[in-house]
Amino acid sequence: MWMQNDIKLKINTNKEILSGLPQNNKKNILKYQEQIESLINEYNKYKNDILSEMYNRKTTLSDIKQNKDLDVTLKTILSTDDIIYLLNTYNTSYEKMELDKDLYDVSRFYRTNFEKVNEDLVKIINKYRLVGLDIKYEDFNYSVYANKYMTVFINELSNNSLNYNVLKECFDTLYWQCPDIFTHIELNLKDLYYSNKKLFDKYVNNQKNKVFTDFEKSGKEIMEDYLLLQRNYDELYNSDTYLILQDFLTKKLNTKDYTLDRITKNFNDFISDPVTDNDEFNNNIKKLYNSLNEYKEYLHFLYLIDGVKKLYSEKDKFKNVVKNKFTIISSNEKKIKKLNKKIVKYMKRGKSELANKFSLTVDSLIFDTKKLYDELDMDVFNEQVLNKLSDDSSIYDLLCLVYSYYLYFIACIKKNDANYTAESIELEVNRLRKFLISPYNTIIGNISIVREKNIPMIISDCYKLLNLNVSMDVLNSDNIDNLIESTAKIKKYYNVLNCRLVLEDISFICDTETILTEEEYVSVLE
Amino acid sequence: MDNKKLKELNYHELIKIYQEIKEFIEYLNKEKDSLDMGDVDAK
């Protein structure tokens, strides 16, 4: 500290000299001013020397690059992300190709706008064509209105871009004759899917086999590798010195929170004695952090778990429901198509009264069929509860099943949250996906859907064995976030402790960064 | 300023010295601003 004292002494001396200078006349005041300016120059030079030293030290210390393996690992994870849906054993080509979601969007045309519905139709028709189903306007035989609109639509599509003015003009004419025109198109597309299901199944199957060939692995092996990759990525990410430093520089973290004194308060949430083995304690805290997160997500998705458990308890009711409903739908659709042929015939002959009479019958049949298709969305899920779940199934299996059926899933979301929005639905869908592909789940895969388990007790007992106190009483939705935050902080503390910079270096880099920015310091070397 | 001595300082000392100097420069600037130049002309 000798230099600091030197500077202090020098400053005090200068202050004393200044205070001794007379300011009783113009000459003396000017002299006093000259003296001040001279001192300002002198001390600005000192300040620059110090800033230069700070800059040099900061540059050397923070000359750290992000681990290159992070990007490579992330790319591999993302490429697996794109194909993981093909490995799903719970759903069919309809869900895998997201036709359930696309057709649901079309069914809600009144909630979106004209362009969006037409974009959705383009997306669906492109998917149909992808599997080899060459959609033509003749395929739209659900109603004369659906046929008229889709004739214009497919003609527009053949020009490679949709002219919305042309489509709007056609729609405006037809809408007043048939306000349900998009419902007719939606059902027509569903009918086309079911009539050509084999083509879709074959396409999805080929895609899946291509994945197995490309990866040279089975589905199970691909999933195992995927989970391992995620673990590796997290490990690399959390221990990366560059990223840790960025967290402090961007003020996401504060160095003051990661001193041993401060972190001891978090330690005390879980242990009563001082830590003797840091590595062991850190590993156990990481495990606890994962268990707490898993339990939090379990609690969050209880509305799904309870709902499916109830369906499972009455699963025998669902036998043959889908089959029977399809029989009625098919019969209705046959009648609709037959009547439509008659309508066209009568229209051509100018017998509009007869055509209108049959049109009303078609409308009524389509209305009933729409209701049946809507019920079918839930019935298909119920049938999967019957076929895919057994007493040996786990909570993980149950949630995978829900995730596989978008329409059932969003029906549950809407029932559970009266204030749902399109964004909140998307967030919930993504949250469940993230939960299911987490490599850290150890609880939900081991809990049967038919046996109740006391999860707080399982967690509490497990960590007691690892010398961590997690009382059963604190494991509830009110406390869980605080516990997660505390374990996350301890995890971060060890990441900081084990990184290539010591906390003092990080503090210095952050403080210096602030000072250099405030001073608008520019190095002479730059 | 002696650059050799500067290099020997630890981080805390470096930042503290910077702060001492910065505060003194601020003091000097205030002193300079408080000089009544109108008064100087009158005298």
Side-chain angles (χ1 to χ4, degrees):
Chain A
M1 294 295 274
W2 58 269
M3 199 163 171
Q4 193 190 345
N5 289 337
D6 284 355
I7 284 289
K8 264 190 180 171
L9 195 68
K10 196 172 161 56
I11 287 171
N12 284 337
T13 312
N14 286 136
K15 272 186 182 172
E16 265 176 44
I17 292 170
L18 273 180
S19 66
L21 289 178
Q23 298 179 51
N24 55 339
N25 56 38
K26 185 179 175 181
K27 198 178 154 195
N28 283 341
I29 291 176
L30 284 172
K31 223 175 176 182
Y32 184 77
Q33 189 187 19
E34 272 171 26
Q35 183 63 27
I36 287 177
E37 274 166 4
S38 156
L39 285 170
I40 290 173
N41 280 339
E42 184 185 348
Y43 279 87
N44 266 330
K45 273 179 199 156
Y46 296 156
K47 191 174 81 176
N48 257 339
D49 288 345
I50 291 171
L51 290 175
S52 165
E53 177 62 21
M54 280 179 171
Y55 175 85
N56 291 340
R57 285 197 204 183
K58 186 203 78 132
T59 308
T60 313
L61 277 172
S62 53
D63 184 23
I64 298 161
K65 300 272 181 292
Q66 187 179 306
N67 188 337
K68 280 179 187 164
D69 291 346
L70 265 164
D71 274 350
V72 179
T73 314
L74 185 62
K75 265 185 194 162
T76 320
I77 290 173
L78 292 178
S79 68
T80 314
D81 260 345
D82 294 340
I83 57 94
I84 227 160
Y85 72 98
L86 288 164
L87 309 177
N88 188 328
T89 54
Y90 293 97
N91 55 17
T92 67
S93 55
Y94 188 64
E95 293 80 22
K96 282 192 174 70
M97 294 187 76
E98 293 190 341
L99 292 169
D100 52 349
K101 191 173 183 294
D102 296 339
L103 284 162
Y104 169 77
D105 289 343
V106 173
S107 77
R108 289 163 50 86
F109 62 90
Y110 51 89
R111 286 225 177 188
T112 56
N113 58 52
F114 187 71
E115 280 79 7
K116 168 80 173 65
V117 185
N118 283 288
E119 279 165 20
D120 288 335
L121 288 176
V122 173
K123 200 158 72 170
I124 295 166
I125 287 174
N126 283 340
K127 286 182 184 178
Y128 282 29
R129 287 181 170 167
L130 194 67
V131 304
L133 187 63
D134 186 18
I135 294 268
K136 296 188 185 78
Y137 70 89
E138 302 97 281
D139 296 315
F140 291 90
N141 49 11
Y142 230 77
S143 72
V144 283
Y145 310 107
N147 181 270
K148 277 183 186 168
Y149 186 77
M150 290 313 283
T151 302
V152 177
F153 184 89
I154 286 174
N155 188 40
E156 280 301 307
L157 205 57
S158 63
N159 300 332
N160 287 328
S161 71
L162 297 178
N163 183 335
Y164 285 110
N165 291 332
V166 174
L167 289 174
K168 193 85 177 71
E169 199 186 322
C170 174
F171 178 76
D172 285 344
T173 319
L174 294 171
Y175 182 79
W176 299 111
Q177 297 168 45
C178 175
D180 295 329
I181 184 163
F182 280 124
T183 305
H184 292 191
I185 296 167
E186 173 212 341
L187 298 188
N188 207 141
L189 285 162
K190 280 189 178 176
D191 176 31
L192 280 169
Y193 169 81
Y194 287 112
S195 310
N196 298 280
K197 191 173 178 298
K198 277 183 187 165
L199 275 178
F200 290 88
D201 290 348
K202 193 180 162 195
Y203 173 80
V204 166
N205 219 27
N206 286 344
Q207 292 294 107
K208 194 163 76 178
N209 288 334
K210 191 176 172 297
V211 166
F212 295 153
T213 314
D214 290 349
F215 279 74
E216 295 178 344
K217 284 186 177 100
S218 69
K220 196 179 167 222
E221 287 167 337
I222 293 171
M223 270 317 284
E224 280 168 3
D225 284 359
Y226 179 68
L227 296 179
L228 190 66
L229 271 173
Q230 283 192 71
R231 276 178 178 275
N232 290 346
Y233 179 80
D234 289 348
E235 202 59 47
L236 288 173
Y237 188 94
N238 292 329
S239 61
D240 192 83
T241 306
Y242 172 81
L243 293 173
I244 290 172
L245 180 60
Q246 289 311 307
D247 279 349
F248 285 104
L249 280 171
T250 54
K251 299 194 167 39
K252 207 171 135 192
L253 301 177
N254 188 332
T255 48
K256 289 188 178 85
D257 294 332
Y258 293 91
T259 57
L260 185 59
D261 264 6
R262 281 278 184 99
I263 213 72
T264 304
K265 282 181 192 160
N266 295 99
F267 285 5
N268 294 340
D269 288 341
F270 307 105
I271 48 170
S272 32
D273 299 322
V275 177
T276 48
D277 184 337
N278 274 316
D279 285 344
E280 192 191 347
F281 180 63
N282 182 19
N283 278 334
N284 291 338
I285 283 290
K286 276 188 206 169
K287 285 179 195 163
L288 175 60
Y289 170 81
N290 293 333
S291 297
L292 293 171
N293 270 306
E294 186 181 357
Y295 184 51
K296 180 186 171 177
E297 294 309 279
Y298 168 86
L299 290 174
H300 178 80
F301 289 114
L302 256 184
Y303 70 100
L304 298 176
I305 297 167
D306 290 342
V308 180
K309 274 185 175 179
K310 190 171 176 290
L311 289 177
Y312 184 73
S313 69
E314 53 199 34
K315 63 182 188 306
D316 292 334
K317 274 191 345 196
F318 310 135
K319 263 181 202 162
N320 297 324
V321 172
V322 171
K323 196 180 151 197
N324 294 340
K325 206 154 276 175
F326 261 127
T327 311
I328 309 172
I329 289 174
S330 293
S331 157
N332 281 0
E333 285 177 336
K334 265 183 200 160
K335 284 180 201 163
I336 290 168
K337 286 169 198 172
K338 210 172 158 185
L339 285 168
N340 279 333
K341 275 182 190 168
K342 279 189 183 175
I343 292 168
V344 173
K345 201 170 78 185
Y346 287 130
M347 281 166 83
K348 273 183 188 167
R349 288 181 189 168
K351 294 181 177 176
S352 56
E353 259 183 43
L354 273 172
N356 285 345
K357 188 186 149 201
F358 285 120
S359 281
L360 289 174
T361 317
V362 168
D363 271 354
S364 158
L365 274 169
I366 292 178
F367 180 80
D368 292 345
T369 313
K370 162 78 178 160
K371 214 170 145 239
L372 290 168
Y373 265 125
D374 286 347
E375 287 168 11
L376 194 70
D377 291 333
M378 295 302 116
D379 294 333
V380 166
F381 180 80
N382 294 344
E383 191 177 63
Q384 293 306 309
V385 170
L386 173 71
N387 293 337
K388 299 279 182 185
L389 296 183
S390 71
D391 288 0
D392 297 330
S393 300
S394 64
I395 298 295
Y396 173 79
D397 298 326
L398 179 155
L399 289 173
C400 281
L401 185 67
V402 176
Y403 182 77
S404 308
Y405 288 86
Y406 180 78
L407 298 177
Y408 174 79
F409 187 11
I410 60 166
C412 294
I413 296 171
K414 288 176 179 178
K415 203 172 154 192
N416 187 51
D417 175 14
N419 302 318
Y420 73 89
T421 58
E423 290 74 27
S424 72
I425 289 177
E426 201 183 333
L427 281 174
E428 191 72 348
V429 171
N430 289 335
R431 184 168 176 175
L432 181 58
R433 182 179 196 276
K434 199 177 159 210
F435 183 36
L436 293 173
I437 59 166
S438 162
Y440 306 110
N441 291 333
T442 52
I443 304 167
I444 55 166
N446 290 306
I447 294 180
S448 153
I449 57 169
V450 289
R451 275 175 288 279
E452 291 296 329
K453 287 258 174 96
N454 186 339
I455 301 178
M457 193 171 84
I458 296 173
I459 297 175
S460 177
D461 287 353
C462 167
Y463 289 97
K464 242 180 231 161
L465 296 173
L466 298 173
N467 299 320
L468 296 180
N469 306 323
V470 193
S471 155
M472 261 174 67
D473 311 332
V474 295
L475 287 169
N476 55 53
S477 47
D478 292 338
N479 282 325
I480 199 128
D481 282 334
N482 291 337
L483 291 172
I484 290 173
E485 199 187 320
S486 191
T487 47
K489 219 163 190 183
I490 299 174
K491 258 176 51 150
K492 186 62 87 180
Y493 167 77
Y494 281 108
N495 288 332
V496 175
L497 194 71
N498 295 330
C499 84
R500 278 162 48 204
L501 290 170
V502 293
L503 197 63
E504 196 188 32
D505 292 340
I506 297 173
S507 291
F508 174 77
I509 294 170
C510 293
D511 291 346
T512 309
E513 185 72 31
T514 311
I515 290 169
L516 293 172
T517 310
E518 274 172 14
E519 293 286 353
E520 295 175 359
Y521 179 80
V522 181
S523 163
V524 285
L525 298 171
E526 279 179 0
Chain B
M1 191 168 267
D2 189 338
N3 279 342
K4 234 182 175 183
K5 282 182 185 172
L6 261 184
K7 287 193 191 310
E8 285 165 12
L9 294 175
N10 68 33
Y11 301 150
H12 300 292
E13 289 161 354
L14 197 61
I15 286 173
K16 275 199 177 142
I17 289 177
Y18 160 77
Q19 279 160 347
E20 296 278 359
I21 291 172
K22 189 186 161 211
E23 276 165 26
F24 186 52
I25 294 172
E26 279 165 7
Y27 164 82
L28 290 170
N29 278 319
K30 265 187 198 163
E31 275 293 303
K32 192 179 144 191
D33 292 345
S34 69
L35 284 177
D36 189 345
M37 296 316 281
D39 200 30
V40 171
D41 290 339
K43 284 173 185 173

